[in-house]
Amino acid sequence: MTGSMQKIMITDWPVNRFKGLKSMLCIVLFSILAMHIPILSGAQSFEFDGKRKKDVISFIRIKNLIVIPVFINGKGPYNFLLDTGVGQMIITDTSFLKSLNVKLFKTYKIQGYGLGKEIEAILTRNITANVGKSEIRNIPAAIFKEDIFDLSSYLGMKIHGILGYYFFKSFIVKINYSSNRMTYYAPDTNPRIKGAKIPMQILNAKPYIHAKIRIDSATTTDVHLLVDNGSSHPLLLEAIGDQPFPLPKHTIAANLGVGINGVISGAMGRLPALKLEKFNFNNILAGFPEYSTKRMEIEGTPRNGTLGAEVLKHFVVTFDYQHEVMYLKKSNAFKKKFDHDMSGMEIYTANAPKFKYIIGRIEAGSPAETVGLNEGDEILSVDLKPMGNYTLNDLTEIFRDHDGRQILIEVSRKDERHMVILKLKRRI
């Protein structure tokens, strides 16, 4: 393979453990793809085969994120996140560089502020992707030479990449979070869609809506939000005008993400209310990342923050990009309350030399710190059940179950075993 080399700069924007890098990176790479990679023959939208007008597939939901099977150049299926927060397709699994015969590409060196090293990405349109009974040829894609996202560790299963705008712009997409099923229709079918109709703007290949947030008992403000179903959080709020978004009276320090500069610090708190058209959510959780003017300048789309999947999962959500509208229909999860992790620790998975669960971060003053758990501890059992009985998603739900729950945790530290009783505590 041969290709030219160019260099770009990126900054961080936190959404979850990998999203800080993803959100900012995709904005930059999408514009570069549009400018520098020639349009090849073939459709630039997913299309159904034959006379088919709709399809239904099941998806895996982990930490509110949607994982779907995707075939690439006739091989697969591969696990891809379906994400409204990205433009072109991103392939994070570095093994694709060997398995795919990628031609007509350009190589870019990506330099992040404070990274200290450059990361190379191959940008190409020489890829055909299939989702269910639909296909797109020559889809713009970025393939990284290093697995800088580490999605597999974050979600506890092998993740090969991220698919966004090109799928959503091709269909009317209905996502049922309760049944883990997605129905997508050809845009000319005019299906009957139930739910409240919310206007969207598609800007730089991403959907934005307006909502209302009550900051305190006396103050309500209109906000412009990116709709990002690839964010695990309910809300992330960064700015009002040129100023940081005001914090609630009670917050806790939190790790809101990991970007290319490392951990993204910020605060978690609760706001009195969020209103989306006729739907009201009270006492809603929100993250407040440290304010970044550099992120605002590079993104180029003014907004106050992000609406994430922790809110969207309360609905059956239908995206209609062509008509710039989103439909929300209450699901059986609508009344579910918003709860934050009550252990104060972040867990990821490692595969070498064997699969294991590792404590990656512990918040100061949290229950995990109080009982003496350490970063780097390997979790061996929870409530006397070995870790083979749990998925990473199971653990996430356990550690946010209810205030005061006691959990017996066994860990390995420097070849020694330790047993602790962790008492969950609602800190916000």
Side-chain angles (χ1 to χ4, degrees):
M1 297 186 298
T2 59
S4 61
M5 180 81 73
Q6 297 188 32
K7 183 184 293 187
I8 59 175
M9 296 285 290
I10 60 174
T11 56
D12 296 327
W13 167 234
V15 178
N16 53 37
R17 189 173 186 269
F18 64 91
K19 295 279 293 182
L21 176 56
K22 186 215 72 174
S23 295
M24 204 64 257
L25 185 62
C26 295
I27 292 164
V28 177
L29 289 185
F30 181 85
S31 62
I32 289 174
L33 280 165
M35 290 187 295
H36 295 289
I37 297 184
I39 296 176
L40 306 179
S41 60
Q44 289 303 302
S45 296
F46 280 88
E47 295 180 348
F48 285 123
D49 55 356
K51 297 182 179 180
R52 182 180 294 273
K53 293 297 183 180
K54 80 170 187 177
D55 193 16
V56 182
I57 65 172
S58 298
F59 58 80
I60 298 172
R61 181 156 61 100
I62 307 177
K63 298 184 178 181
N64 298 322
L65 307 183
I66 294 172
V67 181
I68 63 170
V70 178
F71 286 81
I72 302 295
N73 289 358
K75 298 180 180 179
Y78 300 106
N79 296 324
F80 273 67
L81 290 181
L82 185 66
D83 190 341
T84 57
V86 303
Q88 82 293 333
M89 183 170 68
I90 297 175
I91 295 176
T92 58
D93 184 354
T94 57
S95 66
F96 271 75
L97 291 171
K98 297 179 180 178
S99 62
L100 295 179
N101 183 22
V102 178
K103 300 177 181 177
L104 295 176
F105 68 87
K106 288 191 176 182
T107 300
Y108 287 81
K109 285 190 174 181
I110 304 165
Q111 176 65 59
Y113 293 103
L115 178 63
K117 67 174 183 177
E118 295 174 335
I119 298 171
E120 290 188 355
I122 286 176
L123 308 183
T124 181
R125 292 194 184 208
N126 190 38
I127 284 179
T128 296
N130 294 84
V131 175
K133 302 297 184 180
S134 67
E135 178 177 279
I136 184 173
R137 297 179 181 180
N138 307 317
I139 182 173
I143 306 175
F144 290 94
K145 292 187 176 182
E146 296 181 36
D147 187 6
I148 53 179
F149 294 93
D150 198 21
L151 301 180
S152 301
S153 294
Y154 177 71
L155 296 179
M157 67 178 295
K158 183 64 176 178
I159 301 295
H160 300 89
I162 312 170
L163 178 64
Y165 172 71
Y166 278 87
F167 184 79
F168 284 99
K169 87 178 185 74
S170 302
F171 301 113
I172 299 169
V173 182
K174 182 172 72 174
I175 298 172
N176 190 326
Y177 282 92
S178 296
S179 65
N180 293 343
R181 289 171 68 83
M182 177 177 70
T183 306
Y184 47 109
Y185 306 84
D188 60 353
T189 56
N190 194 26
R192 295 183 61 184
I193 304 172
K194 297 180 180 179
K197 187 177 181 179
I198 300 179
M200 290 192 309
Q201 290 178 290
I202 307 300
L203 302 172
N204 294 326
K206 297 172 180 62
Y208 295 82
I209 64 169
H210 290 279
K212 292 183 181 293
I213 290 178
R214 194 159 77 239
I215 298 176
D216 53 42
S217 58
T219 308
T220 299
T221 185
D222 293 324
V223 288
H224 189 225
L225 303 175
L226 167 67
V227 181
D228 189 352
N229 75 330
S231 165
S232 291
H233 296 295
L235 281 173
L236 283 177
L237 297 169
E238 186 177 14
I240 293 183
D242 296 327
Q243 300 297 320
F245 203 95
L247 297 178
K249 290 183 179 179
H250 176 57
T251 63
I252 60 172
N255 168 19
L256 296 177
V258 174
I260 100 183
N261 296 331
V263 173
I264 306 296
S265 299
M268 289 289 295
R270 290 184 182 270
L271 294 173
L274 163 70
K275 184 174 183 180
L276 296 172
E277 293 294 326
K278 66 179 182 180
F279 302 110
N280 292 287
F281 294 97
N282 298 320
N283 200 28
I284 188 170
L285 275 171
F288 302 89
E290 293 181 349
Y291 182 64
S292 169
T293 56
K294 292 179 181 178
R295 194 277 307 165
M296 292 287 193
E297 292 171 2
I298 291 182
E299 183 171 347
T301 304
R303 60 183 169 98
N304 304 106
T306 301
L307 179 75
E310 181 71 17
V311 171
L312 296 177
K313 76 174 186 180
H314 291 74
F315 301 96
V316 176
V317 184
T318 303
F319 293 99
D320 184 348
Y321 275 35
Q322 293 202 6
H323 296 96
E324 293 193 309
V325 66
M326 176 176 69
Y327 296 87
L328 298 180
K329 179 179 179 293
K330 285 184 183 180
S331 73
N332 54 17
F334 183 77
K335 294 183 179 181
K336 189 172 183 180
K337 296 181 179 179
F338 296 94
D339 266 322
H340 186 50
D341 167 73
M342 299 184 201
S343 69
M345 62 182 176
E346 180 181 292
I347 300 171
Y348 68 94
T349 62
N351 288 307
K354 65 176 183 176
F355 185 86
K356 50 180 136 178
Y357 292 91
I358 305 295
I359 298 176
R361 176 180 167 89
I362 293 182
E363 300 290 347
S366 68
E369 183 187 60
T370 300
V371 298
L373 293 173
N374 293 340
E375 294 180 11
D377 286 352
E378 177 188 354
I379 302 179
L380 301 177
S381 68
V382 171
D383 287 338
L384 300 179
K385 294 181 181 179
M387 300 313 294
N389 290 276
Y390 300 100
T391 66
L392 196 56
N393 204 53
D394 293 334
L395 296 178
T396 299
E397 294 302 317
I398 288 172
F399 292 131
R400 61 192 296 178
D401 185 27
H402 65 264
D403 188 33
R405 175 178 174 176
Q406 293 187 349
I407 302 171
L408 187 63
I409 299 177
E410 181 185 15
V411 300
S412 173
R413 181 187 309 151
K414 295 181 179 179
D415 297 325
E416 294 183 356
R417 294 189 174 217
H418 302 266
M419 192 79 75
V420 300
I421 297 176
L422 177 72
K423 185 177 182 179
L424 300 183
K425 180 180 180 182
R426 182 177 287 110
R427 295 176 291 151
I428 51 175

